[in-house]
Amino acid sequence: MQKIIDPWGSELVEDYVKIVKDFGLEKFNTKLFPNPSRLMRRHTVFAGRDLDIIAKCIKDKKPFYVLTGIMPSADKIHFGNKMVIEQVKYFQEHGAKTYVLVADLEAAATRGITLEEAQKRAMEFHIPAWIALGLDPKKTTFYFQSENKDVMHLAYKYAKKITLNEFRAIYGVADPSRIFAALTQAGDILYPQLKERMPGIVPVGIDQDPHLRLTRDIVRRTKAEKFFLPAGIYHKFTPSLSGKMKMSKSHPQSCVELPEDFSSVKKKIMRAVTGGRETLELHRKLGAEVEKCMVFELLKTHLVEDDKELEKIYKAYKSGKMSSGEIKQIACEKMELFLTTFTKDLKKAQKDVKKLKFIKFG
Ligand code: TRP
């Protein structure tokens, strides 16, 4: 049976090549975009849909948008979420009009928290965290799903465009709250085009592709609106430090949370699965199994910006000159620096958040 990757699961995807094929995605080409980001250069970003349209907008300085939604269901985020923010930031810096919505309705429908609670968490934590991680609030349009009537109207209209069987084929399940959430998400993704028809891109973890497929199907069926099909750009999951599943709130013991005290993250790094051999002697002789090392993965995907620096670490580790103790040490130093900066920037953003402009409706 083919495994369905759904937006609600927490499994790791082993075979990204197969996914590209099965989902009919375009393989990501690092040369497509100018000044590719760390995630693009390191092949963490591995696939997309309609990427050349967005690349052309960047090249010709034509209008396009980047959009994403924050689901404020927990009171923390983690390193997996950080990638979405970095991707949004990349497109924002390359000329995209930026939309960030708070999925308060979705949180209420699928996680059972109240709208007020969801909004409060978003204002006190999620939005400031996004700003601390690099989103420019002055260049971003924010809204709450629950306040955006246009999105609701789109969702209602789109409800007529799909059948239960199609929904099941895309998501594997079809319960009412998920149907509501998915249609609302389609409304979110297309909402910027109500004002100005233009291409848009939605950076997401591969698990969110079903939402894009659904939205693209809907656009094809509502030709009258003449919307552009939303483009998608996908990154791989960040594995947990045990290497067994993706980082997620449900396995805090091997997931780097934000915020989290350095002392607690340090313990997790110390316990992480590495590429070290059984004895130091063997390690020196055979070199590390870098592919299996979750600490190297952390450096590669999140903590080392400079390609040359990463390559140096890779070579030393692979050849056995660097031990897994040493690579953990490097990761700890970089992590401490990262967390200190994040905490400082978060505090500042928490003060500034009151000044943000949200779209007001009605
Ligand atoms: N479903 C997303 C999540 O679980 C949140 C979301 C709502 C979203 N609307 C969106 C993401 C539009 C991308 C685009 O986190």
Side-chain angles (χ1 to χ4, degrees):
M1 198 185 91
Q2 194 198 324
K3 235 197 318 201
I4 292 182
I5 307 196
D6 71 82
W8 298 285
S10 70
E11 274 177 87
L12 260 188
V13 181
E14 270 142 43
D15 193 349
Y16 286 99
V17 177
K18 187 164 183 306
I19 294 222
V20 168
K21 209 165 130 249
D22 289 354
F23 284 26
L25 304 174
E26 298 154 21
K27 200 166 161 269
F28 182 70
N29 165 6
T30 314
K31 297 205 182 78
L32 188 61
F33 293 118
N35 318 312
S37 67
R38 167 174 25 86
L39 296 177
M40 292 174 179
R41 295 195 311 273
R42 308 275 162 85
H43 304 285
T44 309
V45 170
F46 73 103
R49 293 183 186 275
D50 282 350
L51 292 176
D52 39 353
I53 296 178
I54 301 298
K56 197 161 181 331
C57 287
I58 296 180
K59 190 163 157 272
D60 300 344
K61 299 197 170 13
K62 290 262 165 61
F64 72 105
Y65 65 99
V66 61
L67 175 139
T68 189
I70 302 178
M71 170 114 97
S73 52
D75 52 6
K76 284 185 175 203
I77 56 173
H78 56 75
F79 260 44
N81 305 124
K82 176 168 134 341
M83 295 191 286
V84 179
I85 306 169
E86 291 180 339
Q87 289 282 90
V88 170
K89 178 175 181 245
Y90 173 86
F91 290 106
Q92 179 165 64
E93 287 172 352
H94 287 82
K97 302 191 176 183
T98 309
Y99 286 83
V100 172
L101 62 104
V102 176
D104 55 350
L105 282 180
E106 181 179 344
T110 62
R111 310 289 157 108
I113 56 174
T114 64
L115 281 182
E116 290 73 25
E117 184 59 32
Q119 292 177 4
K120 188 164 169 270
R121 279 187 199 170
M123 292 305 281
E124 286 175 2
F125 172 66
H126 291 266
I127 292 178
W130 278 58
I131 295 170
L133 291 171
L135 183 77
D136 183 347
K138 291 195 204 85
K139 293 191 187 148
T140 306
T141 302
F142 295 94
Y143 70 82
F144 290 109
Q145 264 180 345
S146 64
E147 290 180 0
N148 193 332
K149 267 196 197 152
D150 292 332
V151 165
M152 238 357 75
H153 288 165
L154 288 176
Y156 267 84
K157 190 149 107 189
Y158 298 156
K160 289 204 297 270
K161 300 287 172 189
I162 56 157
T163 68
L164 209 52
N165 279 338
E166 280 170 318
F167 198 90
R168 238 181 238 126
I170 295 179
Y171 290 94
V173 288
D175 61 56
S177 65
R178 287 177 184 185
I179 296 177
F180 256 101
L183 288 169
T184 309
Q185 182 147 344
D188 286 329
I189 292 174
L190 298 172
Y191 164 72
Q193 297 198 55
L194 275 180
K195 294 191 212 136
E196 182 181 358
R197 285 179 182 69
M198 59 182 161
I201 185 158
V202 186
V204 280
I206 183 61
D207 57 321
Q208 299 280 318
D209 182 57
H211 292 312
L212 268 157
R213 269 188 284 161
L214 178 78
T215 310
R216 288 167 64 92
D217 282 349
I218 288 171
V219 171
R220 289 190 190 100
R221 284 169 202 174
T222 45
K223 286 203 191 79
E225 284 175 340
K226 294 203 177 66
F227 284 167
F228 283 86
L229 290 175
I233 183 161
Y234 307 101
H235 46 265
K236 297 178 186 171
F237 295 132
T238 279
S240 64
L241 292 170
S242 68
K244 290 205 188 91
M245 40 224 164
K246 67 179 181 185
M247 276 206 188
S248 109
K249 295 171 271 231
S250 22
H251 330 285
Q253 61 298 347
S254 63
C255 166
V256 182
E257 296 181 309
L258 287 170
E260 182 170 352
D261 281 343
F262 171 63
S263 58
S264 145
V265 180
K266 188 175 172 188
K267 280 191 204 122
K268 294 178 185 176
I269 294 178
M270 288 308 179
R271 277 202 314 261
V273 168
T274 70
R277 306 283 178 170
E278 266 159 51
T279 62
L280 190 60
E281 201 189 347
L282 262 184
H283 188 86
R284 298 278 186 236
K285 196 164 138 213
L286 302 174
E289 295 183 278
V290 186
E291 301 66 35
K292 290 190 185 158
C293 182
M294 292 304 123
V295 181
F296 184 79
E297 172 69 39
L298 204 57
L299 293 175
K300 179 181 103 180
T301 313
H302 295 284
L303 296 174
V304 180
E305 194 57 53
D306 184 34
D307 291 349
K308 290 212 182 79
E309 186 184 351
L310 186 73
E311 191 170 337
K312 249 185 161 168
I313 298 173
Y314 178 84
K315 282 191 176 146
Y317 192 43
K318 178 95 189 157
S319 68
K321 263 190 226 124
M322 183 184 282
S323 69
S324 41
E326 283 162 331
I327 202 168
K328 281 179 177 171
Q329 185 60 35
I330 297 178
C332 283
E333 279 162 25
K334 305 236 176 233
M335 183 62 87
E336 184 167 24
L337 194 66
F338 174 84
L339 291 176
T340 311
T341 312
F342 174 74
T343 312
K344 192 173 100 244
D345 293 347
L346 179 66
K347 280 211 184 96
K348 182 174 179 310
Q350 279 167 330
K351 277 194 208 127
D352 293 348
V353 81
K354 291 173 202 90
K355 291 182 241 158
L356 287 187
K357 271 199 280 177
F358 275 70
I359 319 183
K360 280 279 162 239
F361 303 92

